[in-house]
Amino acid sequence: MNIRTFLAERVRAAMTQAGIPAEFNPIVAPAKKAGFGDYQANGAMGAAKAMKKPPRDIASSIVEHLELDGVADKIDIAGPGFINIHLAPQWIATQLHNVSNDAQLGIQKTNASQTVVVDYSSPNLAKEMHVGHLRSTIIGDSVVRVLAYLGHNVVRQNHVGDWGTQFGMLIAELEDQLGTGERPELALQDLEVFYQQAKKHFDDSEDFANRARDYVVQLQSGNEQVLKLWQEFRRVSLLHADDIYKKLGVTLSEKDIFGESEYNNDLANVVTELKDLGLAAENDGAIVSFLDEITNKNGDPSPVIIQKKDGGYLYATTDLAALRYRANTLKADRALYFTDARQALHMNQVFTLARKAKFVPESFTPEHHPFGTMLGKDNKPFKTRTGGTVKLAELLDEAIVRARQEVEKKNPDLNDKTMQEVAQKVGIGAVKYADLCKTRTNDYVFDWDNMLKFEGNTGPYMQYAYTRVASIFSKAEIDRASFNSDIVITTPQEHQLALKLLHFSEVVEQIAQEVYPHILCHYLYEVASAFSTFYEACPILKDGIDTQTKNSRLQLCKGVAQTLKTGLDLLGIDVMEKM
Ligand code: ARG
């Protein structure tokens, strides 16, 4: 159990004994300011107000009943009735010692494990993956790691766009190019170029356009020849995505791909059922559902088209089918969607309509976790200099090249192989961390110089902080993994550092709930800062330091290394022992 929950339970028990009704919460949180103890319980004020009693009296009677022998060495009341809890150094020391010997670092597996579908990355296969998919991939993968760490059953769903009318045109183009003897991998080497060629032929040639339209119909009715070409296109496009996943080190693999085409057989049912339920009807030839729950500023209900005039289905239709598959077949308790903020209305419509139609049980929660746009230094959406889509594979290669330049400056003595490995981890880590450390819902500026700095809240700094701790052990020629010592806290820096390390489980649990990975980044940055302060004030390997103090401090260092390593791993970022 984390300290916060533990203290909250104790305070709640004291409140009960003090005769405070159970509806009032203890409101326990880490203290905001130095001098106000380590944790605060702020529930007295609310209870006092409702009970019409002086808040300080309520606070005193809580403190009187508060059983924290051996846990706290001082409890005082400040201001109108804040209860400040000063934890006993020896208690903190024991807790941290237990945590560093626990395989999960004190983060308990949940006893209420849920099945959580996470829909992330989900590129459209007709085109090159773009920066929006980069954000979805990085953020989604971090959340997946956190949920799995806490013991949830995570089902990754890479909802790739592998269906739709544009595939008719792409298949016709592929057929032509293969007809000239081209291999699929080569023809589709650059999806952006290929798409433009197909589009041009479609616009310029009546014959081509007719064939493309016919292929859409053939595809839907399962013509083998056409399906084969479609599969070929899909296969090569997925190889492009997989290249990026490998470079990024994300946990997505082939078995997580469950694209739009998987729902084809259910789309007609979705439409029929919505019509039968009276939730959708013909409107101007199309089948539309109007949602009173979502209105525009004039109060008009929001229209959701589920079938076009020509009989074709839409993005929303597929997402309705996907929702019920996730809730009913995958038996998910939650489904998290990572797409950019511009899809908020779409997600809201689909979730609302699925609920109204009872496609999903009440207990199931679909959640859209939107993110902002990645901008260039000019504050406009990130593009190449000529205004095109930035190829993600090239962006990641550039990250590694740039990281290598920085690492060479810092440590020119590394051999070539190590240098390349370090550059790889630093470059990819920098790109990921730069994204994850920003509040997800905001836009952010993609800036190479900032993200590759070795100081401040950056990926390289966090990896560097880890190597600093690692180097203490290598200097002392001590095996960190097997090292184990009691902790004795005597200085305020040790106290602060130990306490910070003990917050880890609270932070990880918060990410699972709120789905904001930047909270974890900020926490790890605070750990690294607390370590720096400690390291300056508390010598470890210096002559004259007694063995007990030295070992205790080494154990604290071990805690820092473990926390940084595990924390960065939850963000999908690798560490190294030296850089
Ligand atoms: N393919 C979509 C896009 O590129 C994202 C899909 C997100 N997932 C979903 N179930 N709608 O915008």
Side-chain angles (χ1 to χ4, degrees):
M1 190 189 313
N2 65 51
I3 303 186
R4 187 180 187 155
T5 314
F6 168 78
L7 292 176
E9 280 183 10
R10 291 290 174 97
V11 177
R12 186 177 280 291
M15 287 170 80
T16 308
Q17 284 184 4
I20 298 168
E23 75 230 49
F24 297 105
N25 288 320
I27 320 187
V28 170
K32 296 239 157 48
K33 266 198 253 158
F36 288 86
D38 299 316
Y39 276 81
Q40 290 186 328
N42 300 337
M45 278 79 71
K49 199 167 168 211
M51 293 165 74
K52 299 206 167 56
K53 291 213 175 123
R56 279 193 78 103
D57 289 2
I58 294 284
S60 314
S61 63
I62 297 175
V63 171
E64 230 167 79
H65 292 98
L66 190 53
E67 217 316 359
L68 286 177
D69 280 352
V71 176
D73 58 9
K74 196 165 90 181
I75 303 171
D76 47 31
I77 300 170
F82 298 106
I83 300 169
N84 296 337
I85 301 169
H86 303 254
L87 295 170
Q90 209 36 57
W91 186 76
I92 296 182
T94 310
Q95 300 305 306
L96 185 61
H97 186 245
N98 294 343
V99 162
S100 16
N101 286 311
D102 172 38
Q104 279 266 123
L105 276 189
I107 301 172
Q108 279 169 353
K109 297 251 184 216
T110 172
N111 48 20
S113 176
Q114 293 184 313
T115 295
V116 188
V117 162
V118 184
D119 179 322
Y120 70 112
S121 193
S122 308
N124 295 327
L125 299 189
K127 288 199 171 188
E128 206 74 48
M129 236 167 126
H130 60 71
V131 289
H133 302 117
L134 181 67
R135 293 211 70 186
S136 174
T137 308
I138 292 175
I139 300 169
D141 204 53
S142 166
V143 173
V144 157
R145 287 165 187 257
V146 169
L147 291 167
Y149 196 79
L150 289 170
H152 292 291
N153 170 32
V154 181
V155 186
R156 296 166 182 79
Q157 290 282 281
N158 195 353
H159 188 86
V160 297
D162 59 355
W163 202 251
T165 43
Q166 78 268 48
F167 282 92
M169 170 183 102
L170 296 167
I171 292 167
E173 177 69 25
L174 185 61
E175 184 177 46
D176 291 349
Q177 293 204 14
L178 296 185
T180 67
E182 190 68 285
R183 283 193 304 115
E185 274 81 356
L186 227 56
L188 296 166
Q189 196 177 27
D190 187 325
L191 289 177
E192 219 53 39
V193 169
F194 185 86
Y195 189 93
Q196 279 152 20
Q197 287 164 341
K199 182 84 176 61
K200 188 168 176 345
H201 291 143
F202 187 87
D203 293 340
D204 294 354
S205 150
E206 189 68 21
D207 277 356
F208 185 95
N210 285 335
R211 186 155 52 102
R213 283 190 206 102
D214 178 48
Y215 281 2
V216 178
V217 180
Q218 299 295 337
L219 193 58
Q220 263 150 5
S221 55
N223 174 312
E224 256 184 54
Q225 206 40 42
V226 177
L227 264 178
K228 234 184 171 160
L229 281 163
W230 169 76
Q231 271 155 359
E232 211 38 27
F233 185 93
R234 192 177 177 276
R235 180 184 69 80
V236 180
S237 182
L238 281 170
L239 288 177
H240 286 253
D242 199 52
D243 266 354
I244 296 192
Y245 299 152
K246 288 223 174 70
K247 278 202 174 113
L248 268 180
V250 298
T251 61
L252 279 172
S253 69
E254 208 183 316
K255 66 179 191 328
D256 306 314
I257 294 164
F258 206 80
E260 295 188 6
S261 63
E262 302 278 355
Y263 300 102
N264 287 344
N265 292 335
D266 200 29
L267 301 179
N269 302 337
V270 165
V271 174
T272 313
E273 288 174 47
L274 288 175
K275 283 204 296 201
D276 290 350
L277 287 163
L279 291 171
E282 206 205 296
N283 190 294
D284 236 350
I287 309 293
V288 187
S289 178
F290 286 94
L291 297 172
D292 295 322
E293 293 80 357
I294 309 170
T295 50
N296 65 13
K297 54 180 183 301
N298 301 325
D300 308 324
S302 177
V304 191
I305 306 175
I306 51 171
Q307 189 167 22
K308 288 189 289 190
K309 235 182 190 151
D310 66 6
Y313 302 103
L314 291 106
Y315 189 41
T317 329
T318 309
D319 260 327
L320 284 165
L323 258 181
R324 62 179 186 182
Y325 170 77
R326 292 166 183 189
N328 306 329
T329 308
L330 297 177
K331 303 250 176 295
D333 300 293
R334 293 170 80 184
L336 316 186
Y337 290 73
F338 291 92
T339 67
D340 99 32
R342 283 168 295 192
Q343 294 197 24
L345 176 62
H346 163 78
M347 290 295 166
N348 192 3
Q349 288 177 327
V350 170
F351 297 169
T352 307
L353 191 49
R355 273 219 185 295
K356 277 179 93 167
K358 299 209 169 28
F359 282 173
V360 297
E362 295 273 350
S363 58
F364 167 81
T365 49
E367 306 164 26
H368 181 213
H369 297 288
F371 49 81
T373 307
M374 187 163 136
L375 306 172
K377 270 183 158 176
D378 55 1
N379 271 317
K380 298 210 183 93
F382 194 76
K383 289 265 156 72
T384 58
R385 243 174 257 128
T386 52
T389 320
V390 176
K391 285 193 151 193
L392 291 186
E394 284 170 13
L395 181 112
L396 299 177
D397 289 342
E398 182 170 354
I400 297 167
V401 170
R402 285 177 181 261
R404 183 162 173 144
Q405 288 162 0
E406 296 305 315
V407 178
E408 272 171 6
K409 273 190 237 159
K410 224 178 156 57
N411 194 351
D413 301 334
L414 292 177
N415 68 41
D416 186 65
K417 185 165 166 279
T418 315
M419 185 80 83
Q420 198 50 28
E421 277 167 19
V422 171
Q424 162 96 21
K425 290 179 177 180
V426 171
I428 299 300
V431 170
K432 285 184 163 182
Y433 196 90
D435 195 313
L436 292 167
C437 76
K438 312 291 185 329
T439 307
R440 145 170 81 63
T441 41
N442 295 345
D443 294 348
Y444 84 97
V445 175
F446 186 91
D447 179 345
W448 287 119
D449 297 329
N450 277 338
M451 76 178 74
L452 283 164
K453 281 200 179 113
F454 278 83
E455 63 268 351
N457 192 12
T458 67
Y461 173 71
M462 299 309 306
Q463 288 167 322
Y464 175 63
Y466 175 81
T467 60
R468 272 177 79 195
V469 191
S471 74
I472 296 169
F473 285 87
S474 52
K475 211 186 274 163
E477 293 176 3
I478 293 171
D479 172 48
R480 193 177 73 228
S482 59
F483 183 80
N484 190 5
S485 158
D486 284 340
I487 299 172
V488 189
I489 292 174
T490 54
T491 67
Q493 292 83 2
E494 290 165 311
H495 188 106
Q496 284 316 318
L497 178 60
L499 198 62
K500 192 49 81 192
L501 293 174
L502 286 172
H503 286 167
F504 190 39
S505 60
E506 292 170 26
V507 173
V508 174
E509 281 161 24
Q510 193 185 354
I511 310 291
Q513 289 297 324
E514 300 173 11
V515 196
Y516 278 100
H518 75 276
I519 298 172
L520 179 54
C521 297
H522 284 261
Y523 166 74
L524 294 175
Y525 184 56
E526 283 174 3
V527 168
S529 310
F531 169 74
S532 288
T533 311
F534 152 83
Y535 195 51
E536 262 166 46
C538 304
I540 303 171
L541 303 178
K542 240 203 195 142
D543 286 344
I545 300 291
D546 65 86
T547 312
Q548 192 197 32
T549 305
K550 173 180 143 187
N551 286 344
S552 163
R553 289 179 178 168
L554 280 170
Q555 186 71 23
L556 279 171
C557 289
K558 176 172 173 170
V560 174
Q562 288 172 313
T563 307
L564 290 180
K565 187 175 173 152
T566 307
L568 288 170
D569 186 57
L570 293 177
L571 296 171
I573 296 174
D574 289 332
V575 293
M576 51 244 126
E577 296 303 307
K578 55 174 189 239
M579 69 194 272

